[in-house]
Amino acid sequence: MSLEIHLVKGRDKSVRRKHPWIFSRGIARVVGEPALGETVDVFAHNGEWLGKAAYSPHSQIRARMWSFGDKKQNIDVDFFIQRVQQAQLLRDDIIERDGLTGYRLIAAESDGLPGITIDKYDNFLVCQLLSAGAEFQKQALVDALVHCYPDCSIYERSDVAIRKKEGLTERTGVLHGDAPQQPVIIEENGIKISVDIINGHKTGFYLDQRDSRNQAQKYVKDKEVLNCFSYTGGFGLYALKGGASRVINADVSQPALDTARSNAEMNGFKGKQAVFLNADVFKLLREYRDQGTKFDVVIMDPPKFADSKAQLNGACRGYKDINMLAMQILKPGGTLLTYSCSGLMDQNLFQKIIADAAIDANRSVKFVERFEQAADHPTDTAYPEGFYLKGFACRVM
Ligand code: SAH
């Protein structure tokens, strides 16, 4: 019995442009009874076959395209081997250039594997499966990974609330090989970083900020740096390597700060040069402002403030607030390195928010450099939503 979805007239346009999402309102008719995540053939209104997709009966995004235009392509272990090999090939250059033992191997839709994120930390592959299709294909994916990386263990970190929308529950645990010997140490740009695969945020580390961390080094020599939302100290480590005289790392997570401290020690940075503060950044910035404490450089890398369009206005206020405060505690001529990982906030909107913050802080501010997510988080031309992380270096007069 064939499993098919037939699109509403005109709704084939985005599929023909190779966008992977098909929304429920774009589907005219379903043939057969595809199970949660099962593969279906996708047809245009005129009956033309377009490709294969995973069916998500509970989600607004009702189907996600696995492949376009190749009828013989089954969605099986070989398919996943091909996609994984392509993704690895795309990253080989930067892995060598930046000396990486930790990198994003599969960036979901951007690597042609909707709902599947895989980060490689040394000999561990950590998978996050977010869609019904990803879940349905789990065994094929694991088999493909074992084929491509026979020496690696595979661990699942699908503990994300968004799985509910797909009709899935949260899950973590070993998928293949050994349980992680904690912590796993990775290296990037000559810096060692300890990654907690089991309890860390997301899959353990924010690989996406690697290029921005690297760029940050040129702004910090002999400077006093405040690293807000430090997590395990990523930006702080690069700042110390770049010659900062002192770095204050601030975060609300004590386990993250403990790792940040051991990361600093592991890289040979000891003593008063590195400070670790368990503090709410919103409060801390106000305290510094009210006390008149000033910095040469402020790094502002908050968590995602907007998960949906409904949250975007509130997110804008949050970004404006912290960036205004950061400007207020910078010495004249100081540098603000500021980022937003909210995909719903595009670069222009983020730039406007920084401009508003400058007005409110009553400072003259120049954009001197722009940043984006690291190269192992590529954006496919067919899927602009894959571009989510942007940042600015600003000179604050
Ligand atoms: N810059 C980091 C990633 C930051 S992720 C890196 O390069 O690795 C965001 C961090 O913000 C998390 O560690 C989280 O614990 C922290 N956080 C969230 N809300 C906070 C708040 N109000 N004050 C301080 N830290 C906060």
Side-chain angles (χ1 to χ4, degrees), residues 284-348:
L284 182 69
L285 292 170
R286 287 192 163 75
E287 276 167 30
Y288 283 142
R289 181 189 62 188
D290 297 346
Q291 293 161 4
T293 307
K294 303 275 185 197
F295 293 88
D296 300 303
V297 178
V298 174
I299 298 167
M300 193 58 71
D301 182 30
K304 187 151 100 178
F305 286 166
D307 274 320
S308 66
K309 280 201 180 129
Q311 293 172 352
L312 192 56
N313 273 336
C316 290
R317 282 194 295 277
Y319 283 112
K320 191 174 106 177
D321 184 44
I322 51 175
N323 282 289
M324 175 196 75
L325 291 162
M327 290 170 189
Q328 288 174 329
I329 62 165
L330 275 166
K331 294 177 193 166
T335 304
L336 170 63
L337 300 171
T338 186
Y339 308 89
S340 164
C341 62
S342 302
L344 291 165
M345 172 166 305
D346 65 26
Q347 203 167 22
N348 283 338

Side-chain angles (χ1 to χ4, degrees), residues 201 206 213 229-231 235 251-253 279-282 301 303:
H201 294 183
Y206 292 89
R213 288 193 282 267
F229 307 99
S230 69
Y231 189 49
F235 276 98
D251 203 283
V252 282
S253 161
D280 179 336
V281 164
F282 292 86
D301 182 30

Side-chain angles (χ1 to χ4, degrees), residues 44-63:
H45 186 258
N46 66 2
E48 191 184 335
W49 183 87
L50 298 174
K52 294 193 177 176
Y55 189 65
S56 282
H58 304 298
S59 171
Q60 288 291 325
I61 305 174
R62 191 55 50 92

Side-chain angles (χ1 to χ4, degrees), residues 101-151:
T101 58
Y103 55 94
R104 176 146 298 183
L105 170 63
I106 298 290
E109 274 78 349
S110 305
D111 282 298
L113 292 177
I116 300 175
T117 299
I118 305 176
D119 290 333
K120 190 167 183 291
Y121 298 113
D122 193 25
N123 275 339
F124 276 92
L125 294 163
V126 184
C127 303
Q128 204 164 63
L129 308 177
L130 298 185
S131 64
E135 181 72 24
F136 186 85
Q137 300 289 350
K138 182 147 87 178
Q139 195 53 52
L141 177 68
V142 169
D143 292 347
L145 291 171
V146 172
H147 173 90
C148 296
Y149 304 93
D151 299 333

Side-chain angles (χ1 to χ4, degrees), residues 18 22 84 99-100 106 147 159 183 185 196 214 217 233 255 264 272 281 324 351 365 376:
K18 303 205 165 136
I22 297 172
V84 167
L100 305 182
I106 298 290
H147 173 90
D159 47 336
I185 309 293
D196 183 343
N214 204 20
Q217 291 183 76
K272 291 191 193 132
V281 164
M324 175 196 75
Q351 182 165 330
V365 177
D376 51 343

